[in-house]
Amino acid sequence: MGNVKEQVTNSSEIFTMEETAVLKKIKATYDLDNIEFNMLPILELIEDIIYTPNMSSDSAEERPKFQYEAIGKMHQNLASKINVISCEILGSCNRNQDTNEIVLSMFGALSTLNWIAKGVVALAAFAINYGEFRLLVEQHSTDSTAKLLSLLENVPADFFKEELYIKIANLAKAAMDLIKYIWRVKYLYVNHISSKTPIEDLNAKLHIAIYWIIQSIVICQSIITNLTSTGYESISSTAEQWELYYLGEKVTEFHQQIERETSEKLWSLFPQKNITILTNVICCEDHMPVPLIDGDTKIPQKVDMLKNKPVLLYISNLDPPKDEIETVKRVHAAHKDKVQFVWLPLLDKSKYWNEETYEKKRKLMPWLVVRKPQLLDGTIVKFIENGWEFKKRSIIVAFDRYGNVENKNALPMILIWGSMKAYPFTDGKETELWKSQTWRLELLLPLPEFTSEPNGREKITQLDQWIKDEKNYICMYGGEDIEWIKRFEARVGDIANDLSIPSDNMKMLNLDSLSVAWITWARIEAIFVSRSKQANEQSHDPIKEGALTMCSFHWSRRGWAIISKCSSNLMAKALGNVMLNCLNKCKPEEWKKNGLVESLNACISKSCETLHFLPTFPEIPKMRVCSQSSCGRPMRKSVTFHCLGYNKTQSTNPTAES
């Protein structure tokens, strides 16, 4: 299958000549006087047949009942059309008609419906046959009727594990995802932007989207029909698997393309009001009539309680770090009388909903929480990700009392300056706080208010005062290489003796061993994110560069160190092997003559830099030049894999080196 994937991904054209000819004929079948109908109830029904929702049983019970009751109230002609097309697909596949002939025939039968309705009705027709197929394959061990039917049709007991069946299911789901996305975008646009002016990027490609959906239906049904007629075990699946894979790639590729083109434009046109967004997008009554719950009182609440109030919308994954929650709790304690806090966890597509994790985290939060975030439509999740640039790392969106977005992510400024100094968390306040700031040691220390350690505030306050004394040196270091740390600590001790630096004037600080390690690194990363919003990309920003280097040290998992003379902004920093080599090379006479930090920087500048990034880092540069003065060459980008050891998983870590 590797060659197959290469053929698909290397294809420069999305359509073959034959497909292009079919598309022209499809456009000719469109009737301008088309029928409109409420598609949400039937879409939900089809989704439950094709793509079983990933939710807990209590969530399923709370799904609005009107959606399914509304199916019975559909116009009789529409129900008849679904049944007729279902039979037509089945009959055509039984007769082994050409795929394109079946596709064109279906478009002709659907000519009185608008483009989206064509896709919905076609999927509904397919769902009748596909649902029976799923029951036969997946439920024969638990459902007595399905078991009897599976015996009659000689369905293998473990056919649901076969690659062919999985690919049929994946293609059906891809078609469902595409129509659901298109419908949701149009729903948001018509209801909140304009009911008269069409969204051009979407309308221009509607016929193509519906073509891919109907072709997917025909291919899936053809293979299912062949399985039934020729036998589940006798059919050769190589050609079918290729066809399913190829079409699945095409549908997914088109979905991603249309998603990119429409979501950003839709967000830019959407009314940026907290009540509008929270009521109609995040906490839509389609999902939950009373969508919030008060963390303190445990009483369900309506979204209306947010009207005319400033709101901080805390968006994270399902399992945010406990330290992060504790940080937000301190901000909440300081401003709960002035600001409403709301937690919205967004579920990663690659992970399953975990009710136990959700409840565990929810109980830690004394503010409003979205009750059933797992019911949030995938289209809306993408809407939020693009609009507020949520990339798996937590953000806090700040709204004023009129519902205007004042800061797409206020979390970095909170981590950097604290809950009181950062208030009212606006973009303007963030810019003001950065004025006259320089890269200095104080930025590498956690804020006293965010430590939970006994006497932690006093210790950090004392350290903050200590680094202002010009007689003092501070050495910050860390990493997971214990042997390197021992050698480094011993070497620094020797140097302190050589330079007659009293132990009281040389502080050794292993950042990764501190109880405040999480908040320290979170603050350093926040500095980079915040400065990225402020600094011109073309200008050199020492603060942003310094934070980036520190983040790289942390992600490398190797040893690293910073040595600085207190009361000055001058510091020497490098990865462990470079720093230790320079400490070993430099002589006491040179240190006394030129200064310890200056001598180390002169040595470090002769070594090219290496930067390490996590895949989720907000801003991985596409190209970078080595910052060492003696080099200046373009750096090479590579990918490394590190075993995390303690949980037996792997992580991809892009690395840049010159």
Side-chain angles (χ1 to χ4, degrees):
M1 291 301 289
N3 292 336
V4 167
K5 186 170 184 179
E6 191 176 330
Q7 288 175 41
V8 173
T9 54
N10 289 347
S11 175
S12 59
E13 297 180 358
I14 196 167
F15 297 113
T16 63
M17 290 179 66
E18 186 179 5
E19 287 168 342
T20 303
V22 172
L23 278 169
K24 287 181 180 178
K25 292 178 182 178
I26 284 169
K27 289 192 81 172
T29 67
Y30 189 65
D31 185 348
L32 292 175
D33 298 322
N34 46 57
I35 299 170
E36 292 274 358
F37 65 92
N38 179 17
M39 287 180 248
L40 179 60
I42 193 169
L43 269 173
E44 295 286 356
L45 185 89
I46 300 166
E47 188 172 29
D48 281 0
I49 295 171
I50 290 178
Y51 203 148
T52 304
N54 177 25
M55 63 181 68
S56 59
S57 57
D58 62 327
S59 301
E61 288 173 7
E62 292 203 55
R63 279 186 80 141
K65 299 292 188 290
F66 81 90
Q67 294 177 343
Y68 300 107
E69 290 168 359
I71 296 293
K73 299 174 184 177
M74 284 193 309
H75 195 279
Q76 185 60 40
N77 289 341
L78 183 59
S80 299
K81 187 179 284 291
I82 290 172
N83 281 304
V84 167
I85 292 172
S86 177
C87 293
E88 186 175 315
I89 299 171
L90 202 56
S92 298
C93 292
N94 270 319
R95 292 190 297 272
N96 288 319
Q97 279 185 243
D98 177 72
T99 299
N100 285 328
E101 286 181 15
I102 302 173
V103 169
L104 284 169
S105 174
M106 286 182 67
F107 270 102
L110 296 165
S111 63
T112 57
L113 300 174
N114 67 42
W115 287 116
I116 299 178
K118 291 180 200 294
V120 172
V121 171
L123 270 169
F126 169 68
I128 294 172
N129 302 322
Y130 182 68
E132 293 174 2
F133 176 63
R134 280 195 66 186
L135 283 172
L136 206 63
V137 173
E138 296 179 18
Q139 302 297 320
H140 64 268
S141 61
T142 55
D143 185 280
S144 58
T145 304
K147 183 176 182 178
L148 294 172
L149 289 170
S150 68
L151 288 170
L152 284 174
E153 295 201 17
N154 198 28
V155 180
D158 58 352
F159 185 69
F160 65 93
K161 297 178 183 177
E162 292 289 332
E163 191 71 20
L164 182 63
Y165 179 72
I166 292 168
K167 282 186 166 58
I168 292 170
N170 287 343
L171 181 54
K173 290 171 185 178
M176 181 70 232
D177 288 346
L178 180 55
I179 194 67
K180 191 75 181 286
Y181 178 82
I182 290 169
W183 177 83
R184 198 63 171 162
V185 167
K186 186 176 180 184
Y187 172 85
L188 291 170
Y189 188 87
V190 169
N191 284 274
H192 304 297
I193 299 170
S194 172
S195 60
K196 296 178 181 178
T197 309
I199 180 166
E200 293 177 5
D201 291 338
L202 180 63
N203 277 23
K205 293 185 172 65
L206 274 179
H207 69 291
I208 301 173
I210 306 308
Y211 166 71
W212 286 127
I213 288 167
I214 291 180
Q215 192 182 32
S216 299
I217 289 167
V218 172
I219 294 298
C220 286
Q221 187 60 63
S222 295
I223 294 172
I224 292 169
T225 303
N226 286 340
L227 284 170
T228 306
S229 60
T230 62
Y232 286 79
E233 294 175 337
S234 62
I235 190 167
S236 172
S237 63
T238 306
E240 285 77 11
Q241 284 196 38
W242 151 243
E243 198 165 21
L244 289 165
Y245 178 83
Y246 171 81
L247 195 52
E249 287 284 311
K250 289 285 190 179
V251 173
T252 302
E253 179 187 341
F254 183 78
H255 187 162
Q256 291 170 347
Q257 178 190 337
I258 205 168
E259 200 173 73
R260 284 193 302 270
E261 292 173 356
T262 57
S263 56
E264 253 184 66
K265 183 172 182 179
L266 186 65
W267 183 269
S268 67
L269 296 171
F270 201 86
Q272 298 294 298
K273 300 289 184 181
N274 65 355
I275 291 298
T276 305
I277 291 174
L278 290 173
T279 304
N280 297 306
V281 180
I282 297 170
C283 302
C284 179
E285 290 190 0
D286 291 345
H287 301 302
M288 188 67 53
V290 187
L292 303 173
I293 186 168
D294 190 299
D296 259 344
T297 65
K298 315 304 178 194
I299 297 172
Q301 299 286 350
K302 291 194 172 184
V303 187
D304 288 348
M305 70 176 300
L306 301 177
K307 281 184 178 178
N308 302 318
K309 295 176 184 175
V311 174
L312 288 183
L313 181 62
Y314 173 36
I315 304 176
S316 72
N317 61 31
L318 182 59
D319 192 15
K322 187 178 178 181
D323 288 311
E324 182 178 281
I325 296 173
E326 290 300 318
T327 300
V328 180
K329 281 172 78 171
R330 285 178 170 80
V331 182
H332 176 260
H335 299 288
K336 61 184 177 182
D337 295 331
K338 296 174 282 188
V339 181
Q340 283 284 4
F341 286 66
V342 180
W343 179 46
L344 170 65
L346 292 184
L347 186 65
D348 190 313
K349 283 183 180 179
S350 64
K351 296 180 181 177
Y352 291 101
W353 175 257
N354 188 314
E355 189 72 15
E356 185 181 347
T357 301
Y358 169 76
E359 285 297 326
K360 182 180 175 182
K361 295 297 179 179
R362 182 182 69 78
K363 288 174 182 176
L364 297 175
M365 302 180 187
W367 50 76
L368 295 169
V369 172
V370 176
R371 285 182 65 207
K372 296 292 175 182
Q374 71 271 37
L375 298 183
L376 201 61
D377 190 277
T379 308
I380 305 305
V381 173
K382 184 59 65 176
F383 191 62
I384 293 167
E385 288 174 346
N386 288 330
W388 288 326
E389 298 172 12
F390 174 74
K391 308 296 182 188
K392 296 186 180 181
R393 291 171 182 264
S394 301
I395 64 173
I396 293 180
V397 184
F399 297 90
D400 67 14
R401 62 189 299 252
Y402 303 107
N404 301 308
V405 176
E406 293 198 305
N407 195 333
K408 285 184 178 180
N409 187 9
L411 184 56
M413 67 184 298
I414 290 169
L415 291 168
I416 298 165
W417 286 288
S419 57
M420 301 307 294
K421 199 171 181 181
Y423 185 78
F425 316 119
T426 63
D427 283 326
K429 181 69 173 178
E430 191 169 7
T431 301
E432 180 188 327
L433 287 168
W434 274 121
K435 287 179 180 177
S436 304
Q437 289 286 349
T438 56
W439 178 242
R440 52 199 173 86
L441 281 171
E442 285 89 338
L443 292 175
L444 304 181
L445 301 177
L447 293 174
E449 74 167 289
F450 292 141
T451 177
S452 56
E453 182 186 0
N455 304 318
R457 293 192 179 200
E458 291 79 2
K459 290 178 182 177
I460 294 174
T461 302
Q462 289 169 6
L463 181 59
D464 193 51
Q465 293 300 316
W466 190 87
I467 61 177
K468 290 179 171 62
D469 190 332
E470 62 182 12
K471 299 191 301 294
N472 297 332
Y473 285 86
I474 189 167
C475 179
M476 296 182 182
Y477 58 101
E480 298 178 12
D481 188 339
I482 305 302
E483 290 304 314
W484 176 87
I485 288 175
K486 289 178 181 177
R487 294 198 305 273
F488 174 75
E489 289 174 337
R491 183 61 183 137
V492 171
D494 292 341
I495 291 170
N497 290 331
D498 291 342
L499 295 178
S500 302
I501 301 173
S503 58
D504 290 344
N505 296 120
M506 172 67 85
K507 187 169 288 294
M508 302 292 290
L509 203 62
N510 185 340
L511 234 55
D512 292 324
S513 68
L514 300 178
S515 60
V516 290
W518 183 90
I519 192 66
T520 302
W521 288 113
R523 188 186 189 210
I524 292 169
E525 185 176 315
I527 290 168
F528 176 82
V529 173
S530 183
R531 288 300 293 186
S532 296
K533 290 165 63 177
Q534 309 296 319
N536 186 311
E537 289 184 3
Q538 302 303 318
S539 64
H540 177 69
D541 180 5
I543 299 177
K544 180 179 174 181
E545 287 295 313
L548 178 65
T549 301
M550 288 296 296
C551 288
S552 172
F553 287 168
H554 183 47
W555 296 327
S556 74
R557 304 175 70 218
R558 306 178 192 174
W560 60 269
I562 291 178
I563 297 177
S564 176
K565 181 82 185 305
C566 295
S567 79
S568 78
N569 292 328
L570 188 63
M571 57 182 85
K573 56 185 184 295
L575 284 170
N577 58 340
V578 175
M579 179 63 79
L580 198 54
N581 285 339
C582 287
L583 288 172
N584 290 329
K585 283 179 182 178
C586 294
K587 304 299 180 185
E589 299 77 22
E590 185 181 344
W591 298 331
K592 290 174 183 177
K593 179 182 177 182
N594 300 321
L596 174 60
V597 177
E598 291 85 351
S599 299
L600 285 173
N601 274 333
C603 179
I604 291 168
S605 68
K606 296 173 185 176
S607 299
C608 290
E609 69 174 338
T610 298
L611 296 174
H612 300 263
F613 300 97
L614 290 182
T616 55
F617 190 58
E619 190 181 323
I620 299 177
K622 293 179 181 177
M623 194 278 288
R624 185 178 171 87
V625 172
C626 182
S627 65
Q628 301 303 349
S629 57
S630 59
C631 180
R633 291 173 296 181
M635 299 178 75
R636 177 174 56 84
K637 196 172 184 177
S638 62
V639 175
T640 59
F641 289 86
H642 290 295
C643 178
L644 299 181
Y646 57 86
N647 61 4
K648 305 299 181 187
T649 60
Q650 289 184 316
S651 65
T652 306
N653 184 2
T655 303
E657 55 189 22
S658 61

